[in-house]
């Protein structure tokens, strides 16, 4: 036998792609590899590892009602207005293929608020249009209107392992569907749903003047987490493990509230992704993993 030393391959230098000025609706994929943004009339997607840019065919920003990245793979879902219909599509960025899934409902110019939530485990997709919720299952052969009404600006969440939706009704109470169940969490403040982890634990932010001051959960084992200062909802991220990350843009630092571990970043905060934070520095895109 003879020992052979194999040199480790040199790590490729991280590419920081340019972020053009005048763009909006920037979205980051679950692993931070892809970003999408609207520029003029186009919906553009950039591979941040090699700078390759593509546009979704036959889609302009005027007809795009809502788009999301799936939480576990580089696939997009989006709602497109076509011939007075609202159609649900997916887009595979690796294959550069667009596929129509199903028609959700008729389009009305009065509609203002749209959202999409999907569960990779159950294969169910929920679409929110103003106060109405629509459901299509893994077979994607029909759409069912869910008989609940919620506030237009309220987000919805899916229990990952079950076909259940968590939502806030018009009276600011938190409910689950199938079967309908009210979430009984004691709080003297108005609350807002922040996320749901893989253990089906629901996380709520207690609000003061629209900002989060503390975080509570549906698990009796988890204590109330108080924030050091009032925080915007967009600056809080709950991952599938139940870790809660809070961004402080004034210090350029992300803090995980349970472990108190901090992750520093440079530039302007852009968004969270599953394992880290993204930012823009000198017009370029940066991706930083959470410190563990």
């Amino acid at each position: 036998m003879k020992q052979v030393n194999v040199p480790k391959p040199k790590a490729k230098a991280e590419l920081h792609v340019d972020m053009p000025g005048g763009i909006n609706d920037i979205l980051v994929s679950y692993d931070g590899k892809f970003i999408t943004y609207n520029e003029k009339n186009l919906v553009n997607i950039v591979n941040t590892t090699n700078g390759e840019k593509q546009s979704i065919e036959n889609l302009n920003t005027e007809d795009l009602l809502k788009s999301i990245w799936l939480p576990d793979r580089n696939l997009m879902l989006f709602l497109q207005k076509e011939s007075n219909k609202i159609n649900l599509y997916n887009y595979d960025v690796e294959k550069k293929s667009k596929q129509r899934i199903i028609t959700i409902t008729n389009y009305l110019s009065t509609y203002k608020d749209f959202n999409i939530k999907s569960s990779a485990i159950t294969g169910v997709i929920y679409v929110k249009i103003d106060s109405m919720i629509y459901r299509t299952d893994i077979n994607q052969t029909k759409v069912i209107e869910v008989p609940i009404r919620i506030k237009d600006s309220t987000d919805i969440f899916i229990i990952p392992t079950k076909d259940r939706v968590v939502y806030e009704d018009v009276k600011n109470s938190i409910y689950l569907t199938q079967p309908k169940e009210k979430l009984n969490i004691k709080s003297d403040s108005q609350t807002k749903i922040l996320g749901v982890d893989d253990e089906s634990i629901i996380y709520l932010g207690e609000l003061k003047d629209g900002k989060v001051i503390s975080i509570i959960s549906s698990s009796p084992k988890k204590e109330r987490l108080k924030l050091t200062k009032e925080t915007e909802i967009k600056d809080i991220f709950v991952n599938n493990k139940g870790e809660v990350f809070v961004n402080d843009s004034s210090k350029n630092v992300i803090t995980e509230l349970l472990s108190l571990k901090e992750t520093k970043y440079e530039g302007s905060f852009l968004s969270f992704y599953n394992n880290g934070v993204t930012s823009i520095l000198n017009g370029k895109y940066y991706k930083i993993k959470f410190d563990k």
Side-chain angles (χ1 to χ4, degrees):
M1 297 180 65
K2 182 180 180 181
Q3 180 176 339
V4 178
N5 295 322
V6 179
K8 293 182 179 180
K10 292 183 179 180
K12 292 184 179 179
E14 186 176 354
L15 179 67
H16 301 292
V17 298
D18 291 324
M19 299 293 288
I23 62 175
N24 52 58
D25 295 324
I26 303 172
L27 298 175
V28 179
S29 67
Y30 84 102
D31 59 359
K33 180 179 178 180
F34 292 94
I35 53 175
T36 179
Y37 58 83
N38 298 346
E39 185 178 27
K40 295 180 180 178
N41 220 23
L42 296 175
V43 180
N44 295 320
I45 302 172
V46 177
N47 184 329
T48 65
T49 62
N50 58 22
E52 183 182 68
K53 181 178 176 181
Q54 57 181 289
S55 299
I56 301 178
E57 69 273 14
N58 300 318
L59 176 64
N60 61 59
T61 55
E62 292 181 356
D63 295 329
L64 178 66
L65 303 174
K66 180 69 178 182
S67 60
I68 66 165
W69 288 99
L70 291 188
D72 61 343
R73 52 192 163 144
N74 286 315
L75 186 75
M76 290 181 65
L77 293 177
F78 63 91
L79 296 174
Q80 182 174 353
K81 178 182 65 174
E82 293 178 305
S83 301
N84 294 319
K85 300 287 184 181
I86 299 176
N87 291 325
L88 177 66
Y89 281 87
N90 67 34
Y91 187 79
D92 189 320
V93 292
E94 304 284 2
K95 298 179 180 177
K96 300 179 182 179
S97 64
K98 173 185 174 183
Q99 179 182 12
R100 180 183 172 277
I101 298 175
I102 201 166
T103 296
I104 300 299
T105 188
N106 293 327
Y107 174 78
L108 296 177
S109 60
T110 55
Y111 290 150
K112 302 298 180 185
D113 186 53
F114 303 90
N115 209 343
I116 310 167
K117 286 294 167 68
S118 174
S119 169
I121 297 175
T122 63
V124 174
I125 299 172
Y126 284 89
V127 173
K128 177 181 180 293
I129 302 175
D130 286 355
S131 62
M132 298 172 292
I133 306 293
Y134 299 90
R135 173 190 179 277
T136 182
D137 61 20
I138 194 170
N139 297 314
Q140 297 168 350
T141 56
K142 63 180 179 178
V143 172
I144 298 174
E145 184 175 346
V146 182
I148 60 176
R149 288 292 181 270
I150 64 178
K151 291 192 294 186
D152 290 358
S153 59
T154 298
D155 203 354
I156 60 172
F157 293 83
I158 298 179
I159 300 294
T161 57
K162 300 176 183 178
D163 185 6
R164 302 188 75 186
V165 172
V166 185
Y167 67 97
E168 182 182 353
D169 73 356
V170 294
K171 297 180 180 180
N172 299 318
S173 297
I174 308 298
Y175 283 91
L176 292 87
T177 63
Q178 302 181 157
K180 186 174 182 179
E181 175 189 354
K182 185 176 181 180
L183 190 63
N184 292 314
I185 293 183
K186 294 181 179 179
S187 175
D188 296 327
S189 306
Q190 181 183 352
T191 57
K192 190 81 171 180
I193 307 169
L194 300 176
V196 182
D197 67 19
D198 283 348
E199 299 298 323
S200 300
I201 297 174
I202 302 163
Y203 296 80
L204 306 173
E206 293 185 301
L207 306 182
K208 178 182 179 182
D209 299 326
K211 294 184 178 181
V212 180
I213 56 174
S214 59
I215 297 172
I216 56 179
S217 77
S218 60
S219 170
K221 298 180 181 179
K222 293 198 174 184
E223 298 179 357
R224 176 180 273 101
L225 300 172
K226 293 185 178 180
L227 305 188
T228 56
K229 66 177 184 178
E230 299 172 7
T231 303
E232 299 281 356
I233 293 172
K234 66 179 179 62
D235 287 319
I236 299 175
F237 171 60
V238 179
N239 70 7
N240 58 353
K241 299 176 183 178
E243 296 172 315
V244 182
F245 298 89
V246 177
N247 171 47
D248 186 341
S249 293
S250 67
K251 298 179 180 179
N252 282 42
V253 64
I254 306 292
T255 303
E256 200 287 301
L257 293 186
L258 298 176
S259 65
L260 297 181
K261 290 183 178 180
E262 295 184 344
T263 302
K264 294 183 178 180
Y265 63 91
E266 294 183 296
S268 301
F269 172 79
L270 178 58
S271 76
F272 296 101
Y273 68 98
N274 283 14
N275 296 315
V277 56
T278 65
S279 64
I280 299 177
L281 176 63
N282 297 326
K284 294 183 179 295
Y285 173 83
Y286 281 74
K287 182 176 71 171
I288 304 95
K289 286 187 176 180
F290 292 132
D291 286 340
K292 295 295 185 181

